[in-house]
């Protein structure tokens, strides 16, 4: 077993594979990865403005407005007044949006549980040991 430290390149390549896997097995709600990102952000952070969601998702404001319109029509997102600025509109996730997120997470969990069952106990232990550090790494990047 190698004891050399992980490089950013090695981690990037491994995470690209994980992201591809997550996207391929997350089909509930028939929504795009960007829509899933928006629902996830709203579930974690609460109501947001369209401009903030566009920035977080890395899309233009007009593209986010179109996406929000679709999510609103699907009843996955609702528009609400901003108590701090009555002229502004915030977006919040609905119960149906939360259900789509939970269903997608369940799909991923089932696929990953099946995959974990096919690898050695040693690999499962290494993966479990790495999870807290990966969480802290993500937090360090997103909080910076």
């Amino acid at each position: 077993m190698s004891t050399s430290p992980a490089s950013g390149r090695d981690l990037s390549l491994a995470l690209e594979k994980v992201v591809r896997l997550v996207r391929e097995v997350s089909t509930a709600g028939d929504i795009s990865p960007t829509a899933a990102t928006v629902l996830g952000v709203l579930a974690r952070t609460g109501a947001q403005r369209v401009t903030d969601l566009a920035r977080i998702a890395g899309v233009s404001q007009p593209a986010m407005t179109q996406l929000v319109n679709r999510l609103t029509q699907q009843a996955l997102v609702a528009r609400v007044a901003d108590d701090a600025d009555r002229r502004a509109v915030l977006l919040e996730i609905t119960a149906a949006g939360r259900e789509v997120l939970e269903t997608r997470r369940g799909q991923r969990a089932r696929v990953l549980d099946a995959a974990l069952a096919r690898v050695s106990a040693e690999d499962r232990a290494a993966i479990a040991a790495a999870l807290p550090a990966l969480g802290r790494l993500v937090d360090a990047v997103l909080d910076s």
Side-chain angles (χ1 to χ4, degrees):
M1 176 187 275
S2 173
T3 58
S4 62
S7 72
R9 180 171 176 74
D10 293 340
L11 183 59
S12 176
L13 291 172
L15 291 177
E16 284 175 15
K17 289 180 181 180
V18 171
V19 167
R20 189 178 80 221
L21 170 68
V22 167
R23 284 186 173 172
E24 287 180 10
V25 302
S26 299
T27 59
D30 196 27
I31 60 173
S32 69
T34 304
T37 296
V38 167
L39 292 178
V41 167
L42 294 174
R44 280 189 311 279
T45 64
Q48 297 284 327
R49 292 178 182 224
V50 169
T51 52
D52 294 328
L53 289 172
R55 180 185 45 76
I56 291 167
V59 299
S60 68
Q61 187 170 344
M64 182 55 65
T65 298
Q66 288 180 349
L67 175 59
V68 164
N69 287 339
R70 285 193 303 275
L71 292 174
T72 302
Q73 289 170 352
Q74 294 172 299
L76 302 176
V77 169
R79 289 179 172 87
V80 296
D82 183 348
D83 291 335
D85 180 357
R86 285 295 187 187
R87 298 168 296 165
V89 173
L90 297 175
L91 302 158
E92 65 181 12
I93 190 168
T94 64
R98 287 183 192 283
E99 187 175 317
V100 166
L101 277 182
E102 285 306 312
T103 302
R104 292 169 68 86
R105 287 179 181 140
Q107 287 176 322
R108 290 191 302 265
R110 286 187 296 280
V111 168
L112 292 170
D113 282 341
L116 286 166
R118 292 192 305 267
V119 301
S120 70
E122 183 178 76
D123 281 349
R124 285 192 305 274
I127 292 165
L131 292 177
L134 285 171
R136 289 188 299 273
L137 174 67
V138 170
D139 290 344
V141 171
L142 294 179
D143 293 342
S144 61

